[in-house]
Amino acid sequence: MRTLNKLRKYGIYVLFFMLLFAMVFQFTADLRQPSYPVFKKVEANTTNRMIIVVTPTYKRMTRIPDMLRMANTLSHVKDLHWIVVEDGNHTVPAVQQILERTNLPFTYVAHKTAVGYPRRGWYQRTMALKFIRSNTSHILGKDHEEGVVYFGDDDNSYDIRLFTDYIRNVRTLGIWAVGLVGGTVVEAPKVTDGKVTAFNVKWNPKRRFAVDMAGFAVNLKVVLNSDAVFGTSCKRGGGAPETCLLEDMGLEREDIEPFGYEKEKDREIFVWHTKTSTPNIVQSKKNATKPVPPPDTFGYFVEV
Ligand code: UGA
Ligand code: MN
C-alpha cells in the first residue's frame, strides 16, 4: 500500500520531467539543424523540371553501339529532351532510328565543325545552346516551366540516378564526382560544410571550376540569362572548355550545389568517363595496284 502511494507521489514528478524534456527537445530542434544547405534527393516542386541533354556525336566504328547504350539508359528517364548534334553534313538514319525508339522527345540536327573550332564537340554544343535559347517553349512543352541542361557525351557510362536524383534537382549549378577521368580514378568537388571551395582533381586543380563536362549541369535559367557558348579555345581551362563556359555564364564557386558527397564513405559514382576503344579490324591483303576495299558487312549497317 505504501509503495503504491510512493509511486503515485513520484510518478507526477517523472511525468513532469518527461514533459519538460519533450518541450526543450522541440524548441531546440532548429538549433540542431546543420547550418549549411542540404540538397534533398527529391523536392516536391522540382520533379517537374525538364532535363535537356546535349550530345555531340560523329561517325566512327563504335558510335552506333555507344549511342545505343546511352539511348537505353535515357529511355528510363521521364521528362527528358535529348538534343543530338551530328558533327557532319547530314544526320545519319541509324542514329535517327535509335533516337525514335527511345520514345523520348528529341532533336537531331547536323552541324559540321566550323573552321577554327577543335573537333571535340565544342561547335556542336554551341549550336545546341543557340537552339535551346531560340526554341525554349518547344523544348519545355506545356507541362514544364523549368529545365536543366546537361552536356552528356556519347561515350560515357551513365547511372539512371544521375538524371533522377542529381540533374533533376539542379537549381543553379550542380556538380558531382566523375569516375575514370583527368588522369585519375575519380574527380570530385571538395565539400566543406556543404560548400565547394576546392576540387579533388589531379589535372589543373586551380581552375575556378575543375570539372569534366560529365560532372555538372546548369539550370535552364542560367543558360537563358547569358549568351555564353563554347569558343574556339579555353586558356583558363588549360585547353579544356568547362571552366570557360561556366565562368562566361557568370557563375562563381559559391553557386555550386554539390551532389553525392553526403556519406563519409561508400560514396557512389553516377557517371564514368569511359572511352570505347576502336576494334582492331583485320584488313584484307594489300594489293599494290588496287586500294584496300572496306570490310564486308554482309548487308548489315556498320559505320566503317
Ligand atoms: C573530354 C570531355 O569529356 C569532353 O566533354 C570535352 O569536350 C573534351 O574532353 C575536350 O577536351 O574538349 P573526351 O572523352 O576526350 O572528352 O572526348 P570525346 O568523348 O572523344 O569527345 C567529346 C564529345 O564530342 C563526344 O560526344 C564526341 O562524340 C564529340 N565529338 C568528338 C565530335 O562531335 N566530333 C569529333 O570530331 C570528336
Ligand atoms: Mn569521351
Side-chain angles (χ1 to χ4, degrees), residues 147-197:
V148 183
V149 177
Y150 178 64
F151 298 100
D153 290 348
D154 60 2
D155 56 345
N156 296 333
S157 306
Y158 303 94
D159 190 308
I160 294 162
R161 293 171 297 170
L162 175 73
F163 302 92
T164 56
D165 295 12
Y166 292 2
I167 298 175
R168 180 97 61 208
N169 294 317
V170 171
R171 283 182 274 200
T172 304
L173 165 63
I175 289 191
W176 43 80
V178 179
L180 312 178
V181 70
T184 188
V185 286
V186 56
E187 282 190 353
K190 194 172 165 81
V191 187
T192 318
D193 292 341
K195 286 276 170 201
V196 177
T197 49

Side-chain angles (χ1 to χ4, degrees), residues 9-294:
K9 197 171 153 193
Y10 292 118
I12 198 94
Y13 288 116
V14 172
L15 212 69
F16 175 74
F17 279 115
M18 276 170 71
L19 204 72
L20 196 70
F21 179 76
M23 278 164 74
V24 171
F25 191 81
Q26 178 62 38
F27 286 133
T28 57
D30 279 351
L31 299 174
R32 276 177 281 109
Q33 291 284 329
S35 57
Y36 50 85
V38 173
F39 299 102
K40 296 208 182 79
K41 260 181 128 183
V42 181
E43 297 166 9
N45 62 346
T46 62
T47 47
N48 199 31
R49 276 183 200 133
M50 190 72 169
I51 295 177
I52 303 160
V53 178
V54 172
T55 305
T57 189
Y58 70 107
K59 178 185 166 175
R60 59 190 188 278
M61 237 184 282
T62 56
R63 184 262 290 273
I64 296 296
D66 274 348
M67 281 296 285
L68 184 62
R69 288 185 300 124
M70 187 168 181
N72 285 347
T73 307
L74 296 190
S75 315
H76 293 279
V77 186
K78 286 195 183 70
D79 303 306
L80 187 149
H81 188 112
W82 195 4
I83 301 176
V84 178
V85 187
E86 182 76 33
D87 183 0
N89 291 321
H90 311 281
T91 56
V92 174
V95 173
Q96 174 86 24
Q97 284 154 19
I98 289 175
L99 297 175
E100 276 165 13
R101 281 193 295 264
T102 61
N103 282 325
L104 291 168
F106 70 89
T107 301
Y108 181 36
V109 286
H111 292 289
K112 192 183 165 76
T113 296
V115 180
Y117 283 83
R119 293 196 59 203
R120 302 207 301 268
W122 296 30
Y123 186 70
Q124 289 68 34
R125 295 190 198 105
T126 289
M127 298 315 276
L129 283 169
K130 290 184 176 172
F131 178 82
I132 292 167
R133 288 181 182 124
S134 46
N135 296 277
T136 312
S137 49
H138 160 71
I139 295 169
L140 287 180
K142 57 175 169 43
D143 296 333
H144 307 276
E145 278 163 24
E146 268 197 68
V148 183
V149 177
Y150 178 64
F151 298 100
D153 290 348
D154 60 2
D155 56 345
N156 296 333
S157 306
Y158 303 94
D159 190 308
I160 294 162
R161 293 171 297 170
L162 175 73
F163 302 92
T164 56
D165 295 12
Y166 292 2
I167 298 175
R168 180 97 61 208
N169 294 317
V170 171
R171 283 182 274 200
T172 304
L173 165 63
I175 289 191
W176 43 80
V178 179
L180 312 178
V181 70
T184 188
V185 286
V186 56
E187 282 190 353
K190 194 172 165 81
V191 187
T192 318
D193 292 341
K195 286 276 170 201
V196 177
T197 49
F199 293 90
N200 287 322
V201 300
K202 287 257 177 335
W203 192 72
N204 249 332
K206 295 268 158 64
R207 288 171 289 164
R208 190 193 292 176
F209 299 104
V211 61
D212 183 80
M213 202 69 70
F216 71 87
V218 287
N219 193 290
L220 179 62
K221 67 174 190 268
V222 176
V223 172
L224 299 180
N225 287 340
S226 89
D227 55 7
V229 290
F230 289 78
T232 52
S233 68
C234 174
K235 286 212 179 76
R236 281 165 285 154
E242 295 82 1
T243 202
C244 286
L245 178 79
L246 296 175
E247 288 175 39
D248 292 351
M249 284 178 166
L251 296 166
E252 303 285 343
R253 277 199 180 161
E254 297 85 80
D255 295 318
I256 303 175
E257 305 149 61
F259 287 88
Y261 68 93
E262 293 84 355
K263 285 195 275 182
E264 281 296 313
K265 52 182 207 147
D266 295 331
R267 289 171 171 164
E268 280 187 275
I269 292 169
F270 283 2
V271 57
W272 302 83
H273 186 255
T274 46
K275 204 180 238 332
T276 313
S277 64
T278 311
N280 191 17
I281 306 300
V282 181
Q283 295 278 9
S284 47
K285 280 218 176 73
K286 270 197 181 148
N287 182 317
T289 50
K290 284 189 209 149
V292 182

